[in-house]
Amino acid sequence: VQNRLPSIDLSANTELTQLYLSENYITSIDLSANSQLSHLYMRDNRLVTIDLSKNTELTHLFLDDNAINSLDLSSNAALIEIDLSSNHLDTIDFSSNQALSYLKIRGDQLKSIYLNANPALTHLYLPLNQLESIDLSNNHSLLELQLSGNQLTSLNLEANQTLTHLQLSGNNLISLDLSSNVALEELNVSASNLSSINLSANKALKKLSWSSSALTSIDLSENIQLTELLLSNNNFTSINLEANTLLTDLNLDNNQLTSINLETNTLLS
């Protein structure tokens, strides 16, 4: 439903399992009679709070683009997917949601988050918050991790050996150890204060974005699967790409290169 509903009465709809009310003007809703609800989509409304204590069957919860400042999910142990992006949350407890595999909270005010009780997480998206640290030591199943635009100074990814996609742009990282992340295929560390990373263990890497980082050198000799390389706005005077014969997309704008040998990079258009 994409209307202009300011409110709705669902007290008689006790058999309701899926509810789609995105893009309305709803400020509050009573779901206490809808105990069988499994899917709730209320994106882009005007919710400040919502009581889900009676909705113990919920598996999918999408409440992004509201004005929610607190949310109790302690009764919703069946939750698998959650999107709470663009609300006013600075903290939230997921310790009761052990089945959770997909979590997205983009552009809120998160300063901390506890995820040790969520070992099933495979997709975690927390960009544009205020996180200074995060513990991912119990999230062994992570495939995609998006933490861009936070205030991270360090990040331990030793336990996250299944990671394939990693987005860390716009942080304040001093160093980054990716030696355990051998499955990594995409990496973005642009504008993250990093001047070097050892990528020799990341032989599956296909896409690398490391722009705006004052880089002067980089060793990509072990990353022969690279197809996309974005290194604009750095301080390279030279770069060796002889081993990267699969490159199809290369951006070296705004460096200090006077020449470059691309004889082996025959797929570049």
Side-chain angles (χ1 to χ4, degrees):
V1 178
Q2 296 179 2
N3 294 294
R4 297 183 178 180
L5 292 174
S7 63
I8 188 169
D9 183 356
L10 298 170
S11 58
N13 308 99
T14 57
E15 303 297 316
L16 194 65
T17 60
Q18 299 190 22
L19 179 59
Y20 298 82
L21 287 172
S22 295
E23 298 183 37
N24 281 285
Y25 292 166
I26 297 172
T27 57
S28 65
I29 188 168
D30 183 356
L31 298 173
S32 59
N34 314 109
S35 60
Q36 297 185 39
L37 200 62
S38 63
H39 291 62
L40 177 59
Y41 293 81
M42 292 192 67
R43 288 179 163 130
D44 196 8
N45 276 280
R46 299 178 179 179
L47 294 171
V48 175
T49 184
I50 186 169
D51 183 354
L52 300 173
S53 60
K54 304 299 183 182
N55 313 109
T56 58
E57 302 298 315
L58 269 181
T59 59
H60 293 70
L61 178 63
F62 289 77
L63 297 174
D64 40 311
D65 291 296
N66 279 282
I68 297 169
N69 51 35
S70 66
L71 185 63
D72 183 354
L73 298 176
S74 59
S75 300
N76 313 107
L79 277 171
I80 298 172
E81 296 188 10
I82 298 176
D83 190 342
L84 298 172
S85 299
S86 300
N87 279 282
H88 298 156
L89 296 165
D90 58 12
T91 185
I92 186 167
D93 184 359
F94 294 109
S95 59
S96 298
N97 316 111
Q98 296 183 19
L100 193 62
S101 65
Y102 176 101
L103 176 60
K104 184 176 181 180
I105 308 178
R106 181 186 189 276
D108 279 64
Q109 302 167 18
L110 288 179
K111 296 180 180 179
S112 63
I113 190 167
Y114 178 79
L115 298 171
N116 281 359
N118 312 103
L121 268 177
T122 58
H123 294 72
L124 179 60
Y125 307 102
L126 301 173
L128 302 175
N129 281 286
Q130 300 174 28
L131 296 171
E132 295 182 1
S133 64
I134 187 169
D135 182 357
L136 300 173
S137 59
N138 203 38
N139 309 110
H140 302 286
S141 300
L142 273 180
L143 298 174
E144 297 191 11
L145 177 60
Q146 162 63 286
L147 293 171
S148 296
N150 278 281
Q151 300 172 22
L152 298 171
T153 56
S154 63
L155 183 63
N156 188 336
L157 297 173
E158 185 177 355
N160 316 110
Q161 298 179 14
T162 57
L163 265 182
T164 59
H165 294 66
L166 179 59
Q167 301 276 338
L168 296 174
S169 60
N171 279 284
N172 298 311
L173 295 167
I174 298 171
S175 63
L176 185 63
D177 183 354
L178 297 176
S179 59
S180 298
N181 313 106
V182 296
L184 203 60
E185 296 180 8
E186 295 189 19
L187 174 63
N188 187 340
V189 288
S190 295
S192 287
N193 205 39
L194 289 165
S195 58
S196 67
I197 308 175
N198 186 342
L199 297 173
S200 60
N202 312 109
K203 293 178 171 59
L205 198 62
K206 296 179 180 179
K207 296 183 179 181
L208 173 61
S209 180
W210 198 348
S211 301
S212 304
S213 300
L215 296 177
T216 58
S217 64
I218 189 171
D219 183 356
L220 300 172
S221 58
E222 299 293 331
N223 312 107
I224 61 175
Q225 299 299 318
L226 271 177
T227 60
E228 181 177 303
L229 180 60
L230 309 178
L231 298 174
S232 61
N233 298 302
N234 282 292
N235 295 323
F236 289 108
T237 57
S238 65
I239 188 169
N240 187 342
L241 301 176
E242 291 180 10
N244 312 109
T245 58
L246 299 181
L247 278 175
T248 58
D249 192 353
L250 174 64
N251 188 340
L252 294 169
D253 287 351
N254 296 316
N255 278 279
Q256 300 178 29
L257 297 166
T258 56
S259 64
I260 185 171
N261 185 350
L262 298 176
E263 291 180 2
T264 62
N265 313 104
T266 57
L267 299 180
L268 287 172
S269 56

